[in-house]
Amino acid sequence: MKIKFLNILVIVIALFLYSCNNSFDPLGDFVEGYTLYSIIDKNKDVQKVYIFQNYMPEDLNAEQYKQNRTINNANVKISDGINNFIFTDTTEFIEELGTEVTYYQNKHFSTQTNSLNISAEIPGKKTLSASINSSSKKITFTFRSRRTVEYDLFSDYEMRFTDESVFEFLPVLLINYKLIEMGDTTNLTKEIPTYYVFENGRRYASFPNLAERSGYKYSIKVIEEALRELATEHPGKKIKVINLTANVLQVSSPLNIYYATNKSARDGFTIKLQEPNITNIENGNGIFGSLDIQSVNAEFGKSWEGLFNELRIDF
Amino acid sequence: MTKSFLYSFILKLLLLCSVTYSQNIRGADSTGVRSKIFNVFSYNITEMPIEDALLYIANKSNINVAFSKDIFKPNSKVSLKVDDTSVQEAIELILKGTNASLVPLSENKYVITKQKPPEPPGSLRGLVTDSTNGEALAFANAYIEELNRGASTNSKGIFIITALPPGEYNVSISYVGYQSKRIKVNVVSEKLTHVDFRLKPNSIEIQTVEKVGERVAESNATDLGLERLAIKDLEKMPRGVETDVFRSLQYLPGVKSTGDISSRFYVRGSPSNQNLILLNSIPIYHPYHSLGMFSSIDPEMINNIEFYKGGYPVQYGGALSSITKLNTKDGNKYSFGGKAQVSMLTGKASLEGPLGEGSFLLTGRKSYDTRILKYFLNDKNVPIDFYDMSLGIYFPDILPNGNIKIFAYTSSDNLKNNTQNEADYKWSNNILGINWFQLTDSPMFVEVNFYYSNFDGEVIPNLSSVRPQKNSIDDVTMDVNLRYIYDSKDELDLGFKLQEVRSKLELQNYTGGVKDISAPKGTNIDFYISYKFLRYENIGLDLGTRINLTRLATGRKGTGFFEPRFNSTFSFSKNIILKFSAGLFTQEIITLSDEDELINIFEPWFITPSYLPPSHAIHLNLGLEYKFTEELKMDFEVYRKNIINFATLNDYKTSNSDADMVAGTGKAYGLEYQLNYTPFPLRFHLGYSYSFAEKTANGLTYRPRYDSRHSLNMSFEYNIGNGWYASILWNYYSGLPFTQILAFRDNWNIGNLFSTNYIWNNLSPYTLTGERNAERLPDYHRLDLSISKNIRFGFMNLYFDISLINLYDRENIFYFEKTSGKRVNMLPFLPTASIKVEI
């Protein structure tokens, strides 16, 4: 019996010594690759394309990696089937990154069709490409969306459309205002949230998500709260409120999925080893998409005057 | 009495009427004739009529033998050639094979009578309880000395031994920690004799070392893959923060964990959601507190655990991998008592006592300080608050030979952050069940369960961008189970189950829409039948099937399926037993589990959607048990498991129209070895497994995260005496799989679609990885030490326990942060302590 136990003991010690090695290599062979991002804003003339190459910091700390990994000298173009739009290199020093970067831009972008194809040829390497349909639903705001908004705490401001069918959009209601300081005027906007939550003397705002819906409502109470918040944001400066802008933002697929996936936070406790990779770029990663913003202005009615006076905001 | 008188009368009559011959008989030859019957003779008889042979022997030995000729078949002849044999032995040899027997009347007078026909056998049933509180003692050993037969008690303390020749027997009952008892029992023909055995616990100083659950003389028991554990044993092991029933299972070969952080366990290459946890036969869907770090089952309420790691019998259904049946205590039937305990995480208390003819047990546990959880989760605060409570009320003999137990349980976890910017989480289990256990006048018992089990989980996003989630499952089930034990020792099991399940799993998709991905409601009607051939001493066969008339997701006729099961045992000798089991198993209630999540808050449960077929598993197991001595035993087992229609989260879902779940396949195989050496006052256990697991989903085959090749556990327990107890546990497993990093790329986190013209402040690294789980992390090992002391202090028992976790401070890797390369380890050296007061 003693010999049996001795054998077991020897095996255990051998196993223990063997298992003392606590090192491992988390790295496999480096894979060269490229990532392209471009979101075409259909209402703008200037469009940009960004191309990055894969990287591997020596200390594996990617979060602290500051070296430039953008690609220059690529041949980038977007075609709408009728015209080719050539994108040219632009090099710029970015303070946040502490390095120069290269991106591509076209300052006269105006497509005639919704079918867009991008190609980015990286000399001696790969050609990245993607195709999207950039069409969006044309909407007409109802009178309720365009009306003068009155200061009635039991009422709402509604984004409504003549076609009441459901479609995917992100509503954004902005307060347009001017900031006047020493004779200089700056035009700014403040987004109105869906609601505020007050907790421990602090104000937390919740903004709407990209979702399928037929309209959207903002309560007057929340608009009032946004104005109160605005009044405290620029101490010592003069604020002049101009009006409200209701924006309806639509995006192409799969930018909608990419946006929603990136925006969804994980809880602070779940430890996930791998995040989903959503891409529509052939021969690489990234996203090529488009967005379209349609908007309407609404005015503040005279009934707001008392509040503006209280907040010392010009009207 | 009448029969005995009649028999005596006939005997005397035969003696008077008997004919005595004195002449030499043909065919006989004799030498060395002696006059006394105590002397020995040589006989040589060849083909002689039996009557003549008897007379010849009588003459030769000078005795009188009386018999009636019609006792024997006409013309029956015998031969006998023996030397140095007494007359009595010679006559018995002559009578062998006849229906007659020799009865001595006086020194030289004998009568040969017809043998009495054997009386029909009787049966013995016993209930084994603790004499101090009336608690049933499960898996106690019952042993009939005269017949070398035995049985062990079931989870309700009952044993039944059939086919016993009528007569008086010495029945010994033994159980770990109790003084063995020996009782004379009179077994009556064609009757079931019931005996209550009340065992007295040993004093603190003297503890027996008999292993709980060891069966006596049941070499043909068809129980491959079954492990029986008593809660008393678990309490002696190093306990981490506190005793955890699921962590204790992880020390058995074939059962794996993915580290110190979680008490979830993985059995033979299956994910943890393929384990069915039954609390008094009631499924408990999410039996975990605090992100899965601890089980929500307070050991204080548990009497014993039956754990099947594969090939389980037809009585159990609804899981692909394993069954863990937790049987609760009934409560003290004789006096009131209470316990209070504090650990570094929870405070708990229990109260028990008589209630009318029965008893009750109330337990409660609540977290009060979660700072210790920082050690488990990389210094992260876990603002969690949890509790669990149970109440069991036991009514014995409320019906003739029938008892009823009502059991209620609730657990709740609330993870509430201090700010609205972060999401809150809550989940709870609620259980209510009635168990009716009925013994009958025949060797049969019937068990009826009626229960409700509920799990609710919710993610409340507040102002964060965490997506909301709502999950609930409500399970209302009635089952009836019957076991009949034949005089041949064979057993028949019949059962019926009617289950109604409602489930809801509401998830928000990327368009903001809320969708319930579960089949909302399902009805399952199933039967089972099983016949155990136990009539042969060395062979046991158990053949049976579950017959599911409906599929849960559809609840319609014509969608049912069979689940055949086969268990067998071949005993080569008293020391070597070979066992084999095979079966088909089905699971229809699944979880939405992401295998890439090392830790998650809770796994939502739901009915497999109807677009997926139900998941099936085929188990094949072969085992060998070898008993070197009573103190040294080993088990060896090989297994193979194939999973078909493995319901798996669709990793490639990129649009709303893609399915949330896909059907994959899985396979696992391996071997397990277990050695137990228990010379008092030491107990040594060694468990080793060598295993492979593989999964295929979406066309990709990979090793799951819990697939480790080698696993070794060793424990030494030492009863020092005088209330002191020490144990050491060493746990080793080879590296778990991980996926290598190949490169990083920039990921654009589009926080605001209104400002997409500036990308530079919204970039973060995205990790590009290699083949899934193709590489291995370093090996894991850990040494834990525990010392406990029990003190009798007036009317109180005090229990002190100190555990030293990870004694040599091994840096076992938990994971590495892929974007910073930071290595995160599991538990460092961690001393913990607890105090328990028992009145």
Side-chain angles (χ1 to χ4, degrees):
Chain A
M1 195 56 68
K2 278 182 183 171
I3 290 171
K4 277 178 189 164
F5 264 99
L6 208 61
N7 287 340
I8 291 168
L9 199 65
V10 168
I11 293 167
V12 169
I13 291 168
L15 201 64
F16 179 75
L17 292 174
Y18 171 76
S19 61
C20 279
N21 180 15
N22 206 358
S23 62
F24 72 105
D25 187 3
L27 296 181
D29 293 336
F30 179 74
V31 172
E32 205 172 64
Y34 302 92
T35 304
L36 182 151
Y37 293 111
S38 179
I39 296 176
I40 306 297
D41 184 340
K42 292 171 75 177
N43 303 311
K44 289 182 179 166
D45 296 333
V46 180
Q47 307 294 347
K48 293 174 182 172
V49 175
Y50 309 91
I51 305 174
F52 302 89
Q53 61 183 330
N54 293 352
Y55 62 97
M56 176 55 71
E58 277 183 14
D59 61 355
L60 199 65
N61 192 343
E63 283 165 7
Q64 298 300 317
Y65 188 72
K66 296 290 181 195
Q67 286 184 30
N68 178 21
R69 54 264 186 187
T70 55
I71 294 287
N72 54 19
N73 294 325
N75 301 313
V76 180
K77 65 176 181 186
I78 292 178
S79 165
D80 64 359
I82 298 168
N83 297 310
N84 283 334
F85 300 93
I86 307 297
F87 284 66
T88 53
D89 287 30
T90 305
T91 301
E92 193 178 324
F93 181 82
I94 304 293
E95 220 169 293
E96 288 99 319
L97 300 179
T99 182
E100 276 194 342
V101 297
T102 300
Y103 59 92
Y104 302 83
Q105 63 179 337
N106 182 301
K107 295 182 177 175
H108 309 285
F109 193 83
S110 174
T111 58
Q112 293 181 36
T113 69
N114 289 320
S115 177
L116 302 178
N117 302 295
I118 190 169
S119 97
E121 183 195 344
I122 301 161
K125 302 288 182 184
K126 289 179 174 177
T127 298
L128 312 181
S129 62
S131 302
I132 55 164
N133 180 353
S134 67
S135 64
S136 56
K137 182 180 174 175
K138 293 296 163 204
I139 55 168
T140 308
F141 289 90
T142 61
F143 173 74
R144 283 183 70 81
S145 304
R146 289 181 280 118
R147 72 183 170 95
T148 298
V149 181
E150 295 299 343
Y151 184 54
D152 174 2
L153 292 179
F154 300 103
S155 150
D156 299 312
Y157 170 73
E158 282 187 74
M159 279 188 199
R160 283 268 171 228
F161 319 109
T162 50
D163 177 357
E164 292 188 343
S165 62
V166 170
F167 67 106
E168 185 185 72
F169 71 95
L170 176 70
V172 182
L173 184 62
L174 299 173
I175 300 169
N176 298 308
Y177 67 98
K178 287 182 178 182
L179 197 63
I180 303 158
E181 187 185 20
M182 314 270 288
D184 291 336
T185 303
T186 315
N187 290 318
L188 295 170
T189 59
K190 178 175 177 62
E191 186 177 354
I192 297 169
T194 309
Y195 59 89
Y196 284 102
V197 173
F198 294 89
E199 192 178 77
N200 303 325
R202 289 187 63 188
R203 182 192 284 113
Y204 296 97
S206 173
F207 296 93
N209 281 321
L210 185 67
E212 287 180 337
R213 44 173 81 92
S214 59
Y216 205 76
K217 280 183 189 177
Y218 289 88
S219 90
I220 299 298
K221 182 80 185 148
V222 172
I223 297 173
E224 180 203 332
E225 201 55 49
L227 286 164
R228 288 185 184 279
E229 191 176 45
L230 174 65
T232 62
E233 282 174 359
H234 304 286
K237 294 175 186 174
K238 200 172 181 69
I239 296 168
K240 183 174 183 182
V241 166
I242 303 163
N243 58 10
L244 290 164
T245 303
N247 298 281
V248 171
L249 189 150
Q250 298 174 71
V251 299
S252 62
S253 182
L255 174 58
N256 51 356
I257 303 166
Y258 181 87
Y259 169 73
T261 308
N262 271 279
K263 202 166 184 292
S264 292
R266 195 164 297 287
D267 58 79
F269 305 99
T270 297
I271 299 162
K272 190 167 164 65
L273 298 174
Q274 185 65 49
E275 298 296 334
N277 184 17
I278 293 163
T279 177
N280 63 342
I281 306 296
E282 290 214 14
N283 294 324
N285 288 296
I287 205 84
F288 175 49
S290 70
L291 60 85
D292 181 25
I293 300 168
Q294 297 170 69
S295 48
V296 69
N297 288 337
E299 303 299 324
F300 284 103
K302 285 262 182 204
S303 50
W304 289 88
E305 201 167 6
L307 179 70
F308 286 136
N309 288 338
E310 180 198 330
L311 300 175
R312 297 184 180 175
I313 291 175
D314 285 355
F315 171 48
Chain B
M1 187 61 82
T2 315
K3 268 186 186 174
S4 131
F5 173 76
L6 199 64
Y7 180 75
S8 159
F9 175 76
I10 292 168
L11 198 74
K12 284 171 184 164
L13 199 67
L14 282 170
L15 190 62
L16 288 171
C17 300
S18 64
V19 181
T20 306
Y21 295 87
S22 58
Q23 68 269 35
N24 276 339
I25 309 295
R26 284 172 290 118
D29 180 29
S30 68
T31 53
V33 175
R34 302 190 190 152
S35 58
K36 296 280 183 187
I37 60 160
F38 299 107
N39 292 337
V40 291
F41 300 87
S42 293
Y43 302 101
N44 190 356
I45 299 168
T46 311
E47 283 298 302
M48 186 185 286
I50 193 165
E51 300 92 337
D52 292 355
L54 289 169
L55 292 174
Y56 162 68
I57 292 171
N59 278 343
K60 191 171 179 179
S61 52
N62 197 22
I63 61 162
N64 289 324
V65 177
F67 59 87
S68 168
K69 278 186 174 182
D70 55 5
I71 291 177
F72 307 110
K73 283 182 191 167
N75 303 321
S76 50
K77 292 184 175 176
V78 290
S79 299
L80 181 72
K81 189 176 179 185
V82 288
D83 294 322
D84 299 333
T85 305
S86 72
V87 61
Q88 202 163 340
E89 281 171 329
I91 293 174
E92 277 165 359
L93 286 170
I94 291 287
L95 296 178
K96 198 173 177 183
T98 68
N99 198 21
S101 60
L102 184 69
V103 179
L105 295 177
S106 63
E107 192 178 333
N108 287 329
K109 287 184 179 170
Y110 289 84
V111 64
I112 294 173
T113 63
K114 254 190 179 175
Q115 276 177 353
K116 273 197 294 182
E119 283 187 271
S123 302
L124 174 65
R125 183 177 70 205
L127 170 65
V128 184
T129 56
D130 181 320
S131 67
T132 59
N133 57 22
E135 199 70 56
L137 297 178
F139 323 136
N141 293 320
Y143 181 64
I144 301 176
E145 292 171 10
E146 291 83 352
L147 301 175
N148 191 27
R149 280 185 63 189
S152 60
T153 57
N154 66 9
S155 60
K156 294 190 178 291
I158 297 279
F159 72 88
I160 296 177
I161 304 174
T162 58
L164 295 173
E168 202 172 62
Y169 298 106
N170 287 304
V171 180
S172 300
I173 305 289
S174 57
Y175 190 71
V176 68
Y178 288 80
Q179 292 172 18
S180 296
K181 198 164 196 174
R182 192 188 202 203
I183 290 182
K184 270 201 188 307
V185 174
N186 190 26
V187 174
V188 181
S189 175
E190 294 184 304
K191 296 271 183 201
L192 176 72
T193 307
H194 180 95
V195 184
D196 284 337
F197 298 87
R198 293 180 180 184
L199 299 194
K200 196 175 167 190
N202 279 331
S203 63
I204 287 168
E205 288 73 23
I206 312 158
Q207 297 282 344
T208 65
V209 288
E210 196 173 346
K211 188 183 182 320
V212 172
E214 216 160 90
R215 289 187 172 222
V216 178
E218 277 195 283
S219 54
N220 60 352
T222 51
D223 55 0
L224 181 62
L226 171 63
E227 300 280 351
R228 294 183 173 89
L229 302 158
I231 209 72
K232 285 176 182 226
D233 283 352
L234 306 187
E235 284 174 347
K236 286 168 186 154
M237 302 299 289
R239 59 183 63 187
V241 179
E242 51 187 63
T243 305
D244 191 310
V245 289
F246 298 149
R247 280 183 194 276
S248 309
L249 297 178
Q250 294 171 8
Y251 303 128
L252 297 169
V255 185
K256 299 247 163 65
S257 76
T258 52
D260 305 335
I261 312 303
S262 175
S263 74
R264 286 194 174 94
F265 57 98
Y266 305 83
V267 181
R268 291 183 172 172
S270 279
S272 62
N273 58 9
Q274 292 178 2
N275 303 323
L276 178 64
I277 314 290
L278 298 170
L279 188 55
N280 283 338
S281 303
I282 308 168
I284 174 164
Y285 285 97
H286 188 81
Y288 303 103
H289 280 312
S290 184
L291 288 70
M293 284 188 250
F294 305 98
S295 108
S296 65
I297 309 294
D298 182 357
E300 208 54 60
M301 66 173 148
I302 301 300
N303 181 326
N304 59 75
I305 304 165
E306 292 169 276
F307 175 60
Y308 290 91
K309 54 186 174 183
Y312 37 90
V314 289
Q315 286 86 343
Y316 302 104
L320 295 183
S321 178
S322 77
I323 303 287
T324 308
K325 190 168 178 231
L326 306 157
N327 300 305
T328 61
K329 294 172 185 166
D330 296 332
N332 195 323
K333 296 177 185 67
Y334 309 130
S335 59
F336 287 95
K339 288 177 195 169
Q341 185 172 4
V342 284
S343 71
M344 294 167 86
L345 178 68
T346 64
K348 61 182 183 179
S350 66
L351 187 66
E352 61 185 326
L355 187 70
E357 293 293 308
S359 57
F360 75 94
L361 172 64
L362 175 69
T363 68
R365 178 169 65 159
K366 189 173 181 328
S367 61
Y368 70 91
D369 187 346
T370 56
R371 278 177 295 183
I372 197 162
L373 299 182
K374 274 187 170 186
Y375 292 98
F376 286 76
L377 212 60
N378 194 20
D379 271 347
K380 201 176 279 179
N381 272 319
V382 187
I384 198 160
D385 181 45
F386 63 81
Y387 68 83
D388 54 70
M389 287 177 72
S390 78
L391 174 65
I393 304 174
Y394 180 61
F395 303 100
D397 301 325
I398 196 165
L399 299 162
N401 279 328
N403 56 57
I404 284 178
K405 186 169 184 173
I406 299 171
F407 180 74
Y409 167 86
T410 183
S411 77
S412 170
D413 280 64
N414 208 341
L415 200 160
K416 195 163 173 57
N417 286 290
N418 289 325
T419 167
Q420 286 284 317
N421 276 336
E422 291 184 49
D424 294 332
Y425 306 82
K426 57 182 183 182
W427 62 97
S428 62
N429 291 285
N430 295 292
I431 279 175
L432 180 64
I434 299 175
N435 170 271
W436 170 29
F437 185 75
Q438 182 66 50
L439 296 165
T440 65
D441 290 338
S442 55
M444 180 177 90
F445 55 80
V446 182
E447 193 170 5
V448 180
N449 290 298
F450 182 73
Y451 59 76
Y452 167 71
S453 178
N454 152 268
F455 170 71
D456 279 319
E458 191 175 358
V459 177
I460 306 151
N462 296 326
L463 301 179
S464 75
S465 50
V466 171
R467 290 194 197 165
Q469 194 182 102
K470 264 190 183 175
N471 176 224
S472 70
I473 188 152
D474 296 280
D475 179 348
V476 180
T477 298
M478 191 186 86
D479 63 51
V480 181
N481 308 276
L482 179 150
R483 170 167 291 178
Y484 184 82
I485 302 163
Y486 292 90
D487 282 346
S488 62
K489 299 185 228 167
D490 289 357
E491 293 177 5
L492 174 71
D493 283 290
L494 295 171
F496 162 75
K497 187 169 90 169
L498 175 63
Q499 183 182 31
E500 171 97 1
V501 180
R502 287 170 192 271
S503 77
K504 181 169 74 176
L505 177 52
E506 289 179 351
L507 305 174
Q508 190 184 65
N509 59 29
Y510 76 90
T511 63
V514 174
K515 185 183 164 196
D516 186 350
I517 70 162
S518 166
K521 183 181 157 185
T523 305
N524 180 233
I525 303 168
D526 71 43
F527 297 88
Y528 68 77
I529 180 165
S530 147
Y531 193 86
K532 276 187 195 169
F533 291 91
L534 300 173
R535 64 184 67 184
Y536 308 110
E537 207 166 293
N538 299 329
I539 297 175
L541 293 173
D542 181 3
L543 290 160
T545 185
R546 289 188 80 86
I547 306 156
N548 295 270
L549 298 183
T550 56
R551 190 191 152 185
L552 202 52
T554 60
R556 289 197 305 269
K557 279 198 292 185
T559 54
F561 45 88
F562 285 87
E563 294 177 89
R565 314 271 169 91
F566 172 74
N567 271 278
S568 61
T569 295
F570 305 94
S571 172
F572 293 111
S573 71
K574 277 189 174 177
N575 297 337
I576 306 175
I577 299 171
L578 186 70
K579 297 186 175 184
F580 173 75
S581 71
L584 181 66
F585 306 84
T586 304
Q587 183 169 341
E588 293 199 85
I589 301 175
I590 57 173
T591 64
L592 189 73
S593 309
D594 186 343
E595 281 188 43
D596 281 329
E597 287 178 355
L598 273 183
I599 284 243
N600 56 23
I601 290 185
F602 67 84
E603 288 183 334
W605 285 90
F606 62 108
I607 301 171
T608 309
S610 54
Y611 63 80
L612 281 183
S615 304
H616 297 292
I618 298 164
H619 294 195
L620 293 173
N621 308 302
L622 179 68
L624 180 77
E625 289 177 18
Y626 187 77
K627 189 160 76 172
F628 295 94
T629 65
E630 282 300 318
E631 293 170 341
L632 182 63
K633 290 157 195 174
M634 60 152 252
D635 294 334
F636 181 82
E637 215 170 303
V638 289
Y639 67 88
R640 165 98 195 190
K641 176 160 61 183
N642 278 34
I643 302 175
I644 309 147
N645 305 324
F646 197 144
T648 301
L649 186 71
N650 184 5
D651 290 331
Y652 295 94
K653 179 181 167 79
T654 53
S655 76
N656 271 347
S657 55
D658 292 337
D660 294 283
M661 308 291 289
V662 290
T665 58
K667 67 178 174 190
Y669 49 93
L671 62 88
E672 292 159 8
Y673 175 80
Q674 207 170 177
L675 182 115
N676 287 292
Y677 181 51
T678 54
F680 186 80
L682 177 75
R683 290 177 69 176
F684 170 73
H685 171 263
L686 182 147
Y688 168 76
S689 72
Y690 179 61
S691 58
F692 291 81
E694 191 179 282
K695 186 175 173 183
T696 303
N698 278 320
L700 180 71
T701 300
Y702 59 94
R703 301 276 176 207
R705 195 162 47 82
Y706 38 82
D707 170 48
S708 77
R709 201 62 67 237
H710 304 275
S711 170
L712 178 69
N713 297 294
M714 284 190 298
S715 66
F716 295 90
E717 296 165 50
Y718 193 76
N719 186 341
I720 300 164
N722 204 24
W724 287 94
Y725 205 92
S727 63
I728 299 175
L729 181 67
W730 192 62
N731 180 217
Y732 163 89
Y733 57 79
S734 57
L736 296 170
F738 79 97
T739 308
Q740 278 189 320
I741 301 172
L742 303 185
F744 295 101
R745 68 172 178 80
D746 285 285
N747 192 60
W748 184 8
N749 303 309
I750 309 170
N752 187 347
L753 282 167
F754 259 69
S755 58
T756 53
N757 57 343
Y758 194 80
I759 191 172
W760 307 111
N761 55 356
N762 288 309
L763 294 175
S764 66
Y766 180 93
T767 313
L768 296 161
T769 53
E771 189 186 338
R772 188 170 188 174
N773 291 342
E775 297 297 321
R776 297 273 164 178
L777 291 170
D779 296 348
Y780 168 100
H781 50 93
R782 200 180 91 176
L783 183 70
D784 298 344
L785 173 72
S786 171
I787 295 172
S788 59
K789 166 77 174 157
N790 302 349
I791 304 171
R792 184 80 193 166
F793 191 75
F795 58 93
M796 290 188 298
N797 273 327
L798 296 177
Y799 299 83
F800 299 95
D801 171 87
I802 293 173
S803 290
L804 304 174
I805 307 302
N806 196 2
L807 201 60
Y808 51 82
D809 200 21
R810 162 77 177 179
E811 290 186 339
N812 290 307
I813 185 168
F814 180 27
Y815 68 103
F816 58 93
E817 289 177 353
K818 290 206 164 172
T819 53
S820 68
K822 188 185 161 197
R823 176 182 170 135
V824 178
N825 290 324
M826 291 191 248
L827 280 181
F829 169 68
L830 181 67
T832 65
S834 70
I835 303 169
K836 184 159 86 172
V837 182
E838 187 180 321
I839 300 168

